[in-house]
Amino acid sequence: MKSYLDILHDFFGYSDFRGIQKDIIESIGSGKDTLGLMPTGGGKSITFQVPALAKEGVCIVITPLIALMKDQVMHLREKDIRAAAIYSGMSRHEIITTLENCIFGGYKILYVSPERLSSDLFQAKLKHINVSFFTVDEAHCISQWGYDFRPSYLNIANIRKLKPDTAILALTASATPRVVEDIQKKLCFQQENVFRMSFERKNLAYIVRKTLDKNQELIHILQSVKGSAIVYVRSRRHSKEIAKMLTDYKINAVFFHAGLDSAVKDQRQKDWQADKSRVMVATNAFGMGIDKADVRLVIHYDCPDSIEAYFQEAGRAGRDGKKAYAVLLYNNSDHRKLEKRIIDNFPDKDYIKDVYAHLAYYYQLAVGSGYGHTYEFEIDKFCNIYKYFPLQLNSALKILQRAGYIVYETDPDANARVMFLLSHSELYRLESTSPHEEAVITALLRNYGGLFTDYSYIDEGFIAQQAGLSTQQVYLLLKGLSQRHIIHFIPRRKTPYITYTTDREDTEYIILKKEVYEDRKAQFTERIHAMEAYAINDEKCRSRQLLEYFSEKKVADCGQCDVCIEQKSDQLSTEKLKNPEEQILSLLADGEKHSFSEILQMNIPERQLDGALQHLVTEEKIGLDGSDIYKA
């Protein structure tokens, strides 16, 4: 068997491992449940790809990111590594073929979504697959204390019942100590086993720009710093507006959000990665799993909800190790917007109960009925009838789901589906099809398998790209082919669904438990306030603030953030502050509290005294209690 180092060199072209990669690989390679904490750009994929090639069987990688699945499978296959992925859009036949190839040793690495783990088909096939180990990417999603908790991740622990002797490797780029503990608990680790890589990024300068005019500041930064950039915004509408504004200023920019057609998203991503587009203006739907090392700038136009989200998104800059910048634009309106997000995400309990009652009126459900029933949910219509705002309504429905009353599917199998009604031979004998129809039929046959025996999910945008048509043209052509009984076409649906998981309760008996509402609201509020504190703290090094949030205490100032640069430009050197600091600490050495007036009597020059006190408080060497000062 090849050594881990040989595999690294032969397949990936690297001469040696970085950071804690080798430690993680040796741990999972020896069959131990393992948690790896590595910053964005730390080389997480190597930690499962190398041992997957060294061990017998298939490594199953669980990730929520379809873009990452496709991207990594493509790159692995280019290296002659047998890899595959199962994702929405594949036909049942294609899924079965992929899983059976795993059973018979056809693949070394298989990517799946957490939702896939619950399917009867997957579980039936999994019993017969020789699994080398499971890898859980974005593992913080399994923790209720993680900033990006996803209920589907809770299903992952169930695979341990099917494969009790198979080890799990969990990986994440952002986790507080509480989340680290919870990940291991939720994944049923046999024993605690954590490898931590410092989250410090020495080539990345963190900057906060206080500005009333974010547009002009954004333009100024992009004109001052050359190279590829990402600009993060909060809304789809905003992404389009900002991209247009930048284009008007001759800055090559495109926008990206989850509502775009898959083909459009893929094309914009490829253009940006190939430097055909310089700036990607995007919502947080963009970035995870994107392998572009030379991003010089990540700018947050709008303030994120949490330090975790900010750190992960900012970390997409400078993955090549060269100097890069992470800039947060901030002003007083951000404070109001952040505080409003707390209200929007956690409306009052009475509001949530009203939503539950109005749902019953909407579907005409009597108390004691409805269990197991699924209904289409037209959110705009519902909001119009009952005078709700969509954002708070959406939050209320999610809270009702966490409380166990409903299942709220916001993104069901939305892609269109197609099956041919004619046989191969009948299709070829057709004489009445137009050139555009032939182009669509050819694109379908080239890109999707099993269309004559089963429905296959299709991407209309991708078909349009292949056929040289617009998406609207493809939609109308598919409708026409369906009306002529050449295919059966089920159009794309975006309508959410609501399923009642209990019979309808009288509103007064609706219970929103502490862990469902109060605890999660307190946790969300804490994250918002931590993000605000980072934005307004102009006294402590930005890098230190971020690292200390993740419990890295023994770190030095970065010397390159806006705070450090401002302090460098100050006339007070560290040397000038040394003597005043020693005088203050000497006075406080008795462990007693001393009044500020006693400090003033030491005749230290005012500027030096202010600087010394500020530095000692920042370093947590002294504390303040009203007008009293004490040694911390």
Side-chain angles (χ1 to χ4, degrees), residues 90-111:
M90 294 173 67
S91 68
R92 181 180 173 85
H93 173 72
E94 288 172 316
I95 293 168
I96 290 172
T97 301
T98 302
L99 290 172
E100 288 185 346
N101 273 326
C102 289
I103 293 170
F104 296 114
Y107 297 119
K108 292 297 291 180
I109 300 175
L110 174 68
Y111 290 84

mmCIF file of all heavy atoms in Angstrom, residues 90-111:
data_model
loop_
_atom_site.group_PDB
_atom_site.id
_atom_site.type_symbol
_atom_site.label_atom_id
_atom_site.label_comp_id
_atom_site.label_asym_id
_atom_site.label_seq_id
_atom_site.Cartn_x
_atom_site.Cartn_y
_atom_site.Cartn_z
ATOM 1 N N MET A 90 -30.760 13.841 -10.815
ATOM 2 C CA MET A 90 -30.427 12.533 -11.387
ATOM 3 C C MET A 90 -31.672 11.656 -11.398
ATOM 4 O O MET A 90 -32.505 11.734 -10.489
ATOM 5 C CB MET A 90 -29.319 11.860 -10.568
ATOM 6 C CG MET A 90 -27.989 12.574 -10.635
ATOM 7 S SD MET A 90 -26.741 11.881 -9.502
ATOM 8 C CE MET A 90 -26.459 10.250 -10.204
ATOM 9 N N SER A 91 -31.778 10.785 -12.395
ATOM 10 C CA SER A 91 -32.908 9.850 -12.448
ATOM 11 C C SER A 91 -32.655 8.709 -11.452
ATOM 12 O O SER A 91 -31.530 8.482 -11.009
ATOM 13 C CB SER A 91 -33.058 9.272 -13.852
ATOM 14 O OG SER A 91 -31.949 8.414 -14.150
ATOM 15 N N ARG A 92 -33.726 7.991 -11.130
ATOM 16 C CA ARG A 92 -33.604 6.848 -10.225
ATOM 17 C C ARG A 92 -32.614 5.829 -10.801
ATOM 18 O O ARG A 92 -31.802 5.253 -10.068
ATOM 19 C CB ARG A 92 -34.982 6.210 -10.021
ATOM 20 C CG ARG A 92 -34.971 5.015 -9.056
ATOM 21 C CD ARG A 92 -36.376 4.447 -8.911
ATOM 22 N NE ARG A 92 -36.362 3.228 -8.131
ATOM 23 C CZ ARG A 92 -36.394 3.156 -6.803
ATOM 24 N NH1 ARG A 92 -36.437 4.276 -6.105
ATOM 25 N NH2 ARG A 92 -36.386 2.004 -6.173
ATOM 26 N N HIS A 93 -32.672 5.650 -12.114
ATOM 27 C CA HIS A 93 -31.772 4.691 -12.774
ATOM 28 C C HIS A 93 -30.311 5.109 -12.577
ATOM 29 O O HIS A 93 -29.444 4.268 -12.286
ATOM 30 C CB HIS A 93 -32.109 4.616 -14.260
ATOM 31 C CG HIS A 93 -31.153 3.791 -15.061
ATOM 32 N ND1 HIS A 93 -31.109 2.411 -14.971
ATOM 33 C CD2 HIS A 93 -30.178 4.154 -15.944
ATOM 34 C CE1 HIS A 93 -30.152 1.958 -15.776
ATOM 35 N NE2 HIS A 93 -29.577 2.996 -16.377
ATOM 36 N N GLU A 94 -30.013 6.403 -12.742
ATOM 37 C CA GLU A 94 -28.639 6.892 -12.585
ATOM 38 C C GLU A 94 -28.162 6.733 -11.141
ATOM 39 O O GLU A 94 -27.003 6.374 -10.894
ATOM 40 C CB GLU A 94 -28.564 8.368 -12.997
ATOM 41 C CG GLU A 94 -28.684 8.586 -14.504
ATOM 42 C CD GLU A 94 -28.809 10.058 -14.850
ATOM 43 O OE1 GLU A 94 -29.583 10.771 -14.174
ATOM 44 O OE2 GLU A 94 -28.141 10.495 -15.796
ATOM 45 N N ILE A 95 -29.057 6.973 -10.191
ATOM 46 C CA ILE A 95 -28.696 6.825 -8.777
ATOM 47 C C ILE A 95 -28.384 5.361 -8.453
ATOM 48 O O ILE A 95 -27.377 5.057 -7.792
ATOM 49 C CB ILE A 95 -29.832 7.367 -7.871
ATOM 50 C CG1 ILE A 95 -29.957 8.879 -8.036
ATOM 51 C CG2 ILE A 95 -29.579 7.012 -6.407
ATOM 52 C CD1 ILE A 95 -31.211 9.471 -7.420
ATOM 53 N N ILE A 96 -29.241 4.465 -8.920
ATOM 54 C CA ILE A 96 -29.018 3.032 -8.675
ATOM 55 C C ILE A 96 -27.692 2.589 -9.296
ATOM 56 O O ILE A 96 -26.902 1.865 -8.661
ATOM 57 C CB ILE A 96 -30.194 2.196 -9.230
ATOM 58 C CG1 ILE A 96 -31.450 2.433 -8.376
ATOM 59 C CG2 ILE A 96 -29.846 0.703 -9.246
ATOM 60 C CD1 ILE A 96 -32.707 1.806 -8.949
ATOM 61 N N THR A 97 -27.438 3.028 -10.518
ATOM 62 C CA THR A 97 -26.187 2.654 -11.200
ATOM 63 C C THR A 97 -24.970 3.130 -10.400
ATOM 64 O O THR A 97 -23.994 2.392 -10.210
ATOM 65 C CB THR A 97 -26.144 3.258 -12.615
ATOM 66 O OG1 THR A 97 -27.261 2.774 -13.356
ATOM 67 C CG2 THR A 97 -24.858 2.887 -13.338
ATOM 68 N N THR A 98 -25.032 4.359 -9.908
ATOM 69 C CA THR A 98 -23.920 4.919 -9.126
ATOM 70 C C THR A 98 -23.698 4.128 -7.845
ATOM 71 O O THR A 98 -22.562 3.774 -7.499
ATOM 72 C CB THR A 98 -24.192 6.398 -8.792
ATOM 73 O OG1 THR A 98 -24.368 7.138 -10.001
ATOM 74 C CG2 THR A 98 -23.040 7.001 -7.999
ATOM 75 N N LEU A 99 -24.791 3.821 -7.136
ATOM 76 C CA LEU A 99 -24.671 3.082 -5.873
ATOM 77 C C LEU A 99 -24.174 1.651 -6.108
ATOM 78 O O LEU A 99 -23.375 1.124 -5.321
ATOM 79 C CB LEU A 99 -26.018 3.077 -5.138
ATOM 80 C CG LEU A 99 -26.453 4.440 -4.571
ATOM 81 C CD1 LEU A 99 -27.886 4.370 -4.044
ATOM 82 C CD2 LEU A 99 -25.515 4.885 -3.450
ATOM 83 N N GLU A 100 -24.619 1.025 -7.174
ATOM 84 C CA GLU A 100 -24.156 -0.337 -7.460
ATOM 85 C C GLU A 100 -22.683 -0.342 -7.870
ATOM 86 O O GLU A 100 -21.949 -1.286 -7.559
ATOM 87 C CB GLU A 100 -25.043 -0.976 -8.525
ATOM 88 C CG GLU A 100 -26.429 -1.323 -7.970
ATOM 89 C CD GLU A 100 -27.312 -2.066 -8.947
ATOM 90 O OE1 GLU A 100 -26.971 -2.093 -10.144
ATOM 91 O OE2 GLU A 100 -28.349 -2.600 -8.496
ATOM 92 N N ASN A 101 -22.233 0.711 -8.537
ATOM 93 C CA ASN A 101 -20.807 0.835 -8.827
ATOM 94 C C ASN A 101 -19.989 0.947 -7.542
ATOM 95 O O ASN A 101 -18.865 0.448 -7.466
ATOM 96 C CB ASN A 101 -20.545 2.059 -9.711
ATOM 97 C CG ASN A 101 -20.678 1.728 -11.190
ATOM 98 O OD1 ASN A 101 -20.345 0.634 -11.615
ATOM 99 N ND2 ASN A 101 -21.170 2.676 -11.971
ATOM 100 N N CYS A 102 -20.564 1.601 -6.540
ATOM 101 C CA CYS A 102 -19.903 1.675 -5.227
ATOM 102 C C CYS A 102 -19.820 0.282 -4.593
ATOM 103 O O CYS A 102 -18.794 -0.090 -4.006
ATOM 104 C CB CYS A 102 -20.652 2.627 -4.301
ATOM 105 S SG CYS A 102 -20.485 4.371 -4.744
ATOM 106 N N ILE A 103 -20.902 -0.476 -4.693
ATOM 107 C CA ILE A 103 -20.930 -1.831 -4.122
ATOM 108 C C ILE A 103 -19.849 -2.700 -4.751
ATOM 109 O O ILE A 103 -19.153 -3.460 -4.053
ATOM 110 C CB ILE A 103 -22.327 -2.464 -4.321
ATOM 111 C CG1 ILE A 103 -23.380 -1.719 -3.480
ATOM 112 C CG2 ILE A 103 -22.308 -3.952 -3.946
ATOM 113 C CD1 ILE A 103 -24.814 -2.114 -3.778
ATOM 114 N N PHE A 104 -19.667 -2.569 -6.068
ATOM 115 C CA PHE A 104 -18.718 -3.430 -6.781
ATOM 116 C C PHE A 104 -17.324 -2.803 -6.928
ATOM 117 O O PHE A 104 -16.512 -3.268 -7.722
ATOM 118 C CB PHE A 104 -19.291 -3.795 -8.156
ATOM 119 C CG PHE A 104 -20.543 -4.623 -8.062
ATOM 120 C CD1 PHE A 104 -21.766 -4.113 -8.495
ATOM 121 C CD2 PHE A 104 -20.521 -5.902 -7.512
ATOM 122 C CE1 PHE A 104 -22.930 -4.858 -8.391
ATOM 123 C CE2 PHE A 104 -21.685 -6.654 -7.409
ATOM 124 C CZ PHE A 104 -22.888 -6.134 -7.847
ATOM 125 N N GLY A 105 -17.067 -1.732 -6.158
ATOM 126 C CA GLY A 105 -15.717 -1.179 -6.128
ATOM 127 C C GLY A 105 -15.382 -0.230 -7.249
ATOM 128 O O GLY A 105 -14.201 0.017 -7.524
ATOM 129 N N GLY A 106 -16.380 0.334 -7.906
ATOM 130 C CA GLY A 106 -16.134 1.222 -9.038
ATOM 131 C C GLY A 106 -15.670 2.618 -8.646
ATOM 132 O O GLY A 106 -15.109 3.337 -9.470
ATOM 133 N N TYR A 107 -15.934 3.020 -7.406
ATOM 134 C CA TYR A 107 -15.558 4.357 -6.952
ATOM 135 C C TYR A 107 -14.801 4.295 -5.639
ATOM 136 O O TYR A 107 -14.969 3.359 -4.847
ATOM 137 C CB TYR A 107 -16.805 5.232 -6.769
ATOM 138 C CG TYR A 107 -17.579 5.489 -8.039
ATOM 139 C CD1 TYR A 107 -18.899 5.067 -8.170
ATOM 140 C CD2 TYR A 107 -16.992 6.161 -9.105
ATOM 141 C CE1 TYR A 107 -19.613 5.302 -9.342
ATOM 142 C CE2 TYR A 107 -17.698 6.398 -10.278
ATOM 143 C CZ TYR A 107 -19.005 5.968 -10.390
ATOM 144 O OH TYR A 107 -19.692 6.204 -11.547
ATOM 145 N N LYS A 108 -13.958 5.316 -5.406
ATOM 146 C CA LYS A 108 -13.253 5.461 -4.129
ATOM 147 C C LYS A 108 -13.875 6.545 -3.260
ATOM 148 O O LYS A 108 -13.743 6.522 -2.046
ATOM 149 C CB LYS A 108 -11.776 5.803 -4.369
ATOM 150 C CG LYS A 108 -10.955 4.695 -4.991
ATOM 151 C CD LYS A 108 -10.880 3.458 -4.092
ATOM 152 C CE LYS A 108 -10.063 3.699 -2.842
ATOM 153 N NZ LYS A 108 -10.018 2.486 -1.986
ATOM 154 N N ILE A 109 -14.533 7.524 -3.906
ATOM 155 C CA ILE A 109 -15.134 8.639 -3.162
ATOM 156 C C ILE A 109 -16.522 8.911 -3.729
ATOM 157 O O ILE A 109 -16.693 9.035 -4.942
ATOM 158 C CB ILE A 109 -14.268 9.914 -3.261
ATOM 159 C CG1 ILE A 109 -12.870 9.665 -2.685
ATOM 160 C CG2 ILE A 109 -14.937 11.075 -2.529
ATOM 161 C CD1 ILE A 109 -11.906 10.837 -2.858
ATOM 162 N N LEU A 110 -17.520 8.979 -2.848
ATOM 163 C CA LEU A 110 -18.901 9.268 -3.254
ATOM 164 C C LEU A 110 -19.420 10.453 -2.452
ATOM 165 O O LEU A 110 -19.410 10.431 -1.219
ATOM 166 C CB LEU A 110 -19.809 8.060 -3.009
ATOM 167 C CG LEU A 110 -21.311 8.295 -3.273
ATOM 168 C CD1 LEU A 110 -21.570 8.500 -4.761
ATOM 169 C CD2 LEU A 110 -22.146 7.137 -2.733
ATOM 170 N N TYR A 111 -19.878 11.492 -3.148
ATOM 171 C CA TYR A 111 -20.449 12.683 -2.502
ATOM 172 C C TYR A 111 -21.976 12.566 -2.478
ATOM 173 O O TYR A 111 -22.588 12.250 -3.501
ATOM 174 C CB TYR A 111 -20.070 13.954 -3.269
ATOM 175 C CG TYR A 111 -18.614 14.335 -3.178
ATOM 176 C CD1 TYR A 111 -17.673 13.758 -4.026
ATOM 177 C CD2 TYR A 111 -18.179 15.274 -2.246
ATOM 178 C CE1 TYR A 111 -16.326 14.111 -3.954
ATOM 179 C CE2 TYR A 111 -16.839 15.631 -2.167
ATOM 180 C CZ TYR A 111 -15.920 15.053 -3.019
ATOM 181 O OH TYR A 111 -14.598 15.401 -2.945
#
